Amino acid sequence: MEEDRKARINRLKWHCRRSLLELDLAFDRFWQRHEDDLDVQGEAALERLLELQDHDLWALVIGREVTGDQQLIAIIARLQEV
Amino acid sequence: MTYTVRKFDAVIVGAGGAGLRAAIQLSEAGFKTAVLTKVFPTRSHTVAAQGGVAASLGNSEEDHWHWHMYDTVKGSDWLGDQDAIEFMCRKANEVVVELEHYGMPFDRLDNGKIYQRPFGGHMSNFGEKPVRRSCAAADRTGHAMLHAMYQRNIKVNTQFFVEWQALDLVRDAEGDVLGVTAMDMETGEIVVFHAKATIFATGGSGRIYYSSTNAFINTGDGLGMAARAGIPLEDMEFWQFHPTGVAGAGVLITEGVRGEGGILRNSAGERFMERYAPNAKDLASRDVVSRAMTTEINEGRGCGPNGDYVLLDITHLPPETIMKRLPGIHEIGIQFAGVDCLKEPLPVVPTCHYQMGGIPTNYLGQVVVPKDGNQSTPVAGFYAAGECACASVHGANRLGTNSLLDLLVFGKSAGETAVADLKASVKAHKPLPQESIDRTLARLDRLNHQKDGADVHQTRLSMQRTMQKHAGVFRFKGMLAEGVERMAEIAEQVAQTQIKDKSQVFNTARIEALELDNLIEVAKATIVSANARTESRGAHVRDDATDTPQTPDGRDDKNWLKHTLWYREGDRLDYKPVQMKPMSVETIELKKRAY
Ligand SMILES: Cc1cc2nc3c(=O)[nH]c(=O)nc-3n(C[C@H](O)[C@H](O)[C@H](O)COP(=O)(O)OP(=O)(O)OC[C@H]3O[C@@H](n4cnc5c(N)ncnc54)[C@H](O)[C@@H]3O)c2cc1C
């Protein structure tokens, strides 16, 4: 189980490598703060968020766009912490 | 360690603009083509490009490829090869129109033609006045471009290997290139991609600097692989710096901020640009502003606890202007500087942005090296395009919007040349050289078993800080020489990096250690080449290169109008002449570069 989580987290971490430096930095900060408290629902929400195109993702992080999806909102809030 | 072999006609490393463009050519011609990429294609760094792509379409006003060529030669400070520059500027319209046919949603004029806007350095009538030459798709040009080309590739059956990391070039005793070794990140499996044509399109290496506008993925893998296989790197001393990256983060703050009235200030609150450029002030050209900022910092007038940045002040502008005209700047300030730019100035530093040098190529996209007295002999089976290649069209300094053009023109050209070579070649693949594959296996094995080694993160950080301090935007003789020595020490640590995590699935620690093997080659190439070039030209500016009638602004054409070639083995340097003869028009004669 621990092994599985590590593999899943590693995969998510690689999927956080993006085309925009802004996003790389935001995700870097996210992992430093939230790696340990990310639960399975959080992982699933993050995975869905990472499916987005980078400009759309960035627009959500800086609040220029909003979503009604509660699970995404929870992840985005953590990405917005400065 | 085990590995498997897979055979293709062509393997392309990189799925950014250059790689996708090359792949279209090969797949359309019916060749079995594999494209390897570390990230999903539309997450390649090309997505970050917003400004547009240059082409003298002349949709809004008169324009001509010859004027574009003149601007590019001048911008390059005459270090660009004039045959390749003519080729690129003449091909621009064709590749932009092709892109339109692939479905690129360019901004349009009322008459339906592509809308064009002006961009720094692009002029009409041989430098007379600014011209509208840049074609864009809102502020998502790069993204739209990748999207259109990715769809086209799907249609023509290009085979993508997403989340694969190419590790080394496979090169046999005769010097021919026969593919790459690569790792599937998902499983850790090692595969040899055995090919008759290998195209590198791995993008830039901006992460060698501490402060960089480049995304984390830009680690110069193509350059590292080429250097380890004995291929020289060309003109690596030339890096374009952007004056305003957020201090400590690198995120780019557009020129538009100064255009709207933003002012640069030192620790005394002084508007220091008035001293350096009394007329243009904060709107002087990128290199002038960057050097002025560096001088302020070096002379102790920097801000912050370490005095290592200056301030970009827009607090005097109406908040409505900032929010409306400069969207995103407020959020960038909050996110990456912890500063509300409506109330407080933003900390900024000159930040590494674009690599002019790279793997030496000609305008056909072939990788060329000196051999048997010929300065530019093609390496059989090896091609490169985009930011990782040096054609050389940007010479000592790139013009904005010319790099998206570069990757379209030379991506296509590399693909076309590979197609022609494949058609002319004998049927069978050449046998794989075991020693070449063993080198990759030994590198992985070393990493897996290293004890008491160096930490990857720390080692990368010391490389980045050393580059920033010793080979930044403004260069000093003593600092460069010291930097060369320091970098050699850091390279020894890189050869002994250690990772704790030995797992197979998406082992990011391993991936980053392997990336560092590439970054360090680029860093060495840059600092050794910069130390040797004792003139100032374009983006390479040295304090000890004096302004005399023979060497205006420190540029020394008599001794330094030549390309640098750095070889990994023994840090050896060689030089080759600049191609001053264009393909069809007259040479654009040497002049002082002044705007
Ligand atoms: C913020 C910013 C704004 C810019 N704006 C403009 C602009 O407006 N106009 C302009 O002309 N230029 C602009 N540029 C420059 C331009 O974006 C780049 O030079 C260009 O996009 C590089 O394209 P490329 O195809 O060479 O490489 P990239 O798009 O960087 O693609 C590299 C590819 O190689 C792959 N890769 C790398 N290493 C490996 C490996 N080991 N194994 C497998 N795959 C690998 C990556 O996954 C990726 O797919 C800008 C640059 C920046 C940083």
Side-chain angles (χ1 to χ4, degrees):
Chain A
M1 193 60 206
E2 243 333 279
E3 262 310 296
D4 286 356
R5 179 172 194 270
K6 191 168 137 236
R8 286 200 313 274
I9 294 287
N10 273 351
R11 176 197 307 271
L12 282 170
K13 275 190 181 167
W14 186 254
H15 288 172
C16 289
R17 278 265 195 131
R18 312 303 287 199
S19 61
L20 306 177
L21 177 63
E22 289 88 322
L23 286 170
D24 280 342
L25 293 167
F27 282 120
D28 206 29
R29 200 162 56 192
F30 172 87
W31 286 111
Q32 281 174 29
R33 291 178 188 163
H34 296 292
E35 175 158 356
D36 295 336
D37 61 49
L38 193 68
D39 59 15
V40 183
Q41 279 88 33
E43 284 177 32
L46 178 58
E47 200 165 328
R48 281 199 294 121
L49 193 68
L50 291 171
E51 303 274 304
L52 294 177
Q53 302 290 347
D54 285 346
H55 290 289
D56 300 328
L57 187 44
W58 180 239
L60 286 172
V61 174
I62 60 175
R64 206 185 302 157
E65 301 283 340
V66 287
T67 164
D69 184 324
Q70 288 307 319
Q71 280 171 336
L72 292 193
I73 289 172
I75 294 283
I76 292 165
R78 286 192 257 176
L79 278 166
Q80 288 170 331
E81 290 165 9
V82 292
Chain B
M1 198 178 285
T2 58
Y3 64 89
T4 50
V5 178
R6 300 182 72 154
K7 270 192 187 168
F8 289 87
D9 292 317
V11 58
I12 298 174
V13 185
L20 290 180
R21 188 62 195 82
I24 292 174
Q25 228 53 35
L26 281 148
S27 296
E28 276 184 349
F31 289 105
K32 193 179 166 201
T33 304
V35 175
L36 274 57
T37 172
K38 292 198 285 190
V39 295
F40 193 77
T42 52
R43 281 178 214 153
S44 301
H45 195 50
T46 296
V47 169
Q50 305 190 337
V53 50
S56 58
L57 297 169
N59 285 352
S60 303
E61 58 188 317
E62 192 187 353
D63 200 4
H64 198 282
W65 63 260
H66 201 183
W67 300 346
H68 185 189
M69 174 182 173
Y70 175 86
D71 299 338
T72 305
V73 171
K74 178 179 170 184
S76 83
D77 219 351
W78 276 267
L79 193 71
D81 287 331
Q82 296 197 14
D83 58 343
I85 295 177
E86 177 178 339
F87 182 82
M88 178 177 83
C89 297
R90 290 181 76 149
K91 280 268 185 188
N93 295 8
E94 171 190 318
V95 293
V96 164
V97 170
E98 266 166 6
L99 200 56
E100 202 178 12
H101 292 160
Y102 298 153
M104 169 96 175
F106 281 115
D107 296 344
R108 295 191 184 277
L109 294 163
D110 289 340
N111 65 11
K113 289 186 176 173
I114 296 174
Y115 169 81
Q116 297 188 276
R117 57 185 174 206
F119 217 90
H122 291 278
M123 318 281 272
S124 70
N125 207 12
F126 306 101
E128 224 174 71
K129 61 176 199 320
V131 72
R132 297 173 167 269
R133 191 177 285 151
S134 167
C135 314
D139 58 354
R140 296 193 180 184
T141 308
H143 180 258
M145 204 159 144
L146 283 192
H147 200 75
M149 292 202 281
Y150 180 62
Q151 292 305 328
R152 178 78 196 168
N153 269 292
I154 296 295
K155 236 192 207 150
V156 294
N157 294 321
T158 301
Q159 212 175 323
F160 284 93
F161 291 82
V162 176
E163 294 170 342
W164 282 70
Q165 183 179 26
L167 300 175
D168 279 295
L169 203 56
V170 178
R171 209 176 171 204
D172 71 8
E174 288 168 319
D176 294 1
V177 169
L178 304 176
V180 290
T181 53
M183 182 175 70
D184 180 355
M185 295 180 180
E186 168 125 46
T187 59
E189 186 199 357
I190 303 298
V191 171
V192 180
F193 286 81
H194 190 188
K196 295 185 197 168
T198 302
I199 302 182
F200 272 12
T202 52
S205 328
R207 300 307 302 178
I208 62 168
Y209 283 94
Y210 180 68
S211 186
S212 171
T213 63
N214 286 199
F216 290 0
I217 197 181
N218 281 12
T219 54
D221 295 5
L223 281 74
M225 289 188 269
R228 280 194 298 278
I231 309 265
L233 301 181
E234 180 174 343
D235 292 341
M236 290 307 298
E237 60 272 46
F238 299 100
W239 286 84
Q240 187 169 73
F241 281 71
H242 196 288
T244 53
V246 174
V251 176
L252 188 141
I253 299 203
T254 114
E255 246 116 28
V257 171
R258 278 170 291 135
E260 290 295 335
I263 290 173
L264 290 161
R265 298 188 191 281
N266 61 18
S267 56
E270 182 203 3
R271 181 181 195 178
F272 60 84
M273 281 311 299
E274 285 178 333
R275 273 188 279 121
Y276 296 88
N279 295 319
K281 299 193 180 85
D282 301 275
L283 289 174
S285 69
R286 279 185 187 176
D287 51 335
V288 172
V289 177
S290 291
R291 245 172 291 142
M293 290 166 69
T294 307
T295 305
E296 290 300 299
I297 293 168
N298 286 347
E299 292 181 357
R301 293 185 293 277
C303 309
N306 302 317
D308 52 3
Y309 55 79
V310 299
L311 296 170
L312 177 57
D313 188 0
I314 50 173
T315 53
H316 53 289
L317 300 181
E320 312 83 67
T321 309
I322 297 175
M323 302 310 263
K324 193 163 137 238
R325 294 266 183 72
L326 303 168
I329 294 302
H330 187 238
E331 291 94 338
I332 284 176
I334 292 187
Q335 281 277 330
F336 303 115
V339 159
D340 177 351
C341 67
L342 304 179
K343 302 197 183 96
E344 275 174 89
L346 292 157
V348 290
V349 283
T351 298
C352 160
H353 188 48
Y354 183 85
Q355 150 198 320
M356 268 77 71
I359 302 168
T361 58
N362 57 18
Y363 67 87
L364 295 170
Q366 297 169 304
V367 175
V368 291
V369 297
K371 197 180 168 191
D372 307 329
N374 178 353
Q375 290 290 352
S376 296
T377 308
V379 177
F382 194 24
Y383 316 80
E387 195 168 334
C388 74
C390 180
S392 139
V393 286
H394 309 298
N397 176 57
R398 168 194 75 124
L399 292 189
T401 69
N402 260 356
S403 42
L404 288 185
L405 178 60
D406 164 352
L407 56 84
L408 289 175
V409 170
F410 296 107
K412 177 176 182 183
S413 190
E416 271 179 341
T417 309
V419 165
D421 290 349
L422 282 168
K423 284 185 174 158
S425 78
V426 285
K427 286 270 171 306
H429 284 66
K430 265 184 114 180
L432 284 171
Q434 190 58 43
E435 318 82 72
S436 187
I437 297 165
D438 287 345
R439 243 173 281 143
T440 297
L441 302 181
R443 203 150 68 85
L444 290 168
D445 201 54
R446 197 282 304 159
L447 185 59
N448 274 341
H449 295 102
Q450 181 73 48
K451 294 213 171 66
D452 305 319
D455 177 78
V456 173
H457 181 72
Q458 284 308 326
T459 312
R460 187 176 55 216
L461 206 58
S462 26
M463 172 197 70
Q464 290 169 332
R465 287 193 189 279
T466 304
M467 286 306 296
Q468 197 78 26
K469 184 165 163 208
H470 293 264
V473 69
F474 201 7
R475 296 164 176 184
F476 303 85
K477 189 173 177 210
M479 291 291 277
L480 281 165
E482 234 176 74
V484 168
E485 281 176 28
R486 179 86 190 95
M487 201 54 74
E489 290 161 20
I490 296 170
E492 282 173 24
Q493 292 168 25
V494 173
Q496 295 177 18
T497 46
Q498 181 180 357
I499 50 172
K500 288 195 201 85
D501 183 358
K502 307 280 161 82
S503 64
Q504 292 298 319
V505 181
F506 284 100
N507 183 333
T508 48
R510 179 178 293 132
I511 296 167
E512 287 181 8
L514 293 167
E515 287 177 334
L516 183 57
D517 285 351
N518 298 320
L519 283 167
I520 191 68
E521 300 303 338
V522 181
K524 280 189 297 179
T526 300
I527 205 156
V528 170
S529 304
N531 184 42
R533 186 177 284 269
T534 50
E535 65 159 355
S536 290
R537 181 184 300 270
H540 172 67
V541 183
R542 285 179 67 125
D543 177 57
D544 57 337
T546 42
D547 183 18
T548 70
Q550 291 75 39
T551 59
D553 287 336
R555 191 180 89 190
D556 179 359
D557 291 324
K558 193 160 149 260
N559 294 302
W560 286 104
L561 183 63
K562 55 188 179 185
H563 295 294
T564 306
L565 292 174
W566 171 86
Y567 288 84
R568 177 174 187 263
E569 196 168 9
D571 271 331
R572 182 166 68 87
L573 292 175
D574 192 2
Y575 294 91
K576 68 174 180 182
V578 174
Q579 178 54 266
M580 296 294 285
K581 205 173 149 25
M583 305 180 86
S584 73
V585 292
E586 300 272 293
T587 295
I588 293 168
E589 296 294 345
L590 285 162
K591 255 203 320 207
K592 184 171 159 166
R593 179 169 153 260
Y595 287 98

